[in-house]
Amino acid sequence: MKYEGDWKRGVGEVRGMRFEGVTSASDGLRQRTKLYALEIIRLSASLPHHNEAVVIGRQLLRSGTSVGAQFREACRAKSDADDISKLSGSMQELDESSYWMELLDECQKFLNQQDYIR
């Protein structure tokens, strides 16, 4: 997702969705991780009903929506170590989400090729 905006003015836009009231980088990331989760939900809902896509879609939905939740937990961390730990968890969920999206892409190519062969 590409962010365009001005943190200091508290106005921003991500993929055509405009939001206001952003006063800091953490507020912006809170908003962006929420928009990311919404995009993951949309993607998951649009997947075909093949068993493979359903299983991978559930994993993607779980990891993709937990990114923002873990980031918000990091914003409420009680110590630097707690903050680092929670941010690290959020980054791990992003990496896992990326893996599931790559797998979905490869799975779609494989399923399309199988349909062509039949």
Side-chain angles (χ1 to χ4, degrees):
M1 281 187 270
K2 184 178 177 196
Y3 170 78
E4 295 176 5
D6 183 354
W7 296 118
K8 293 180 181 168
R9 290 184 317 145
V11 178
E13 185 172 311
V14 176
R15 297 188 101 189
M17 302 166 101
R18 187 172 171 79
F19 56 92
E20 297 184 26
V22 176
T23 57
S24 69
S26 67
D27 284 347
L29 280 173
R30 286 170 64 104
Q31 184 70 13
R32 288 168 52 196
T33 56
K34 183 178 177 181
L35 291 172
Y36 177 77
L38 291 170
E39 289 291 323
I40 292 294
I41 291 167
R42 286 185 192 109
L43 173 61
S44 179
S46 71
L47 292 175
H49 295 289
H50 295 290
N51 286 338
E52 300 86 350
V54 170
V55 171
I56 295 170
R58 284 186 188 137
Q59 293 290 339
L60 175 61
L61 187 60
R62 185 201 53 75
S63 63
T65 56
S66 70
V67 172
Q70 289 195 1
F71 178 77
R72 287 183 180 211
E73 287 179 23
C75 290
R76 295 185 308 273
K78 294 179 170 84
S79 67
D80 287 345
D82 192 29
D83 184 41
I84 291 168
S85 174
K86 291 180 193 292
L87 285 174
S88 176
S90 186
M91 294 297 293
Q92 288 171 347
E93 294 295 339
L94 274 172
D95 189 45
E96 183 179 338
S97 298
S98 176
Y99 170 77
W100 293 122
M101 286 187 272
E102 290 170 18
L103 208 53
L104 267 175
D105 187 45
E106 292 299 316
C107 183
Q108 288 296 92
K109 290 176 187 173
F110 173 75
L111 289 174
N112 289 340
Q113 186 178 31
Q114 292 298 317
D115 289 342
Y116 181 73
I117 291 172
R118 290 180 195 171

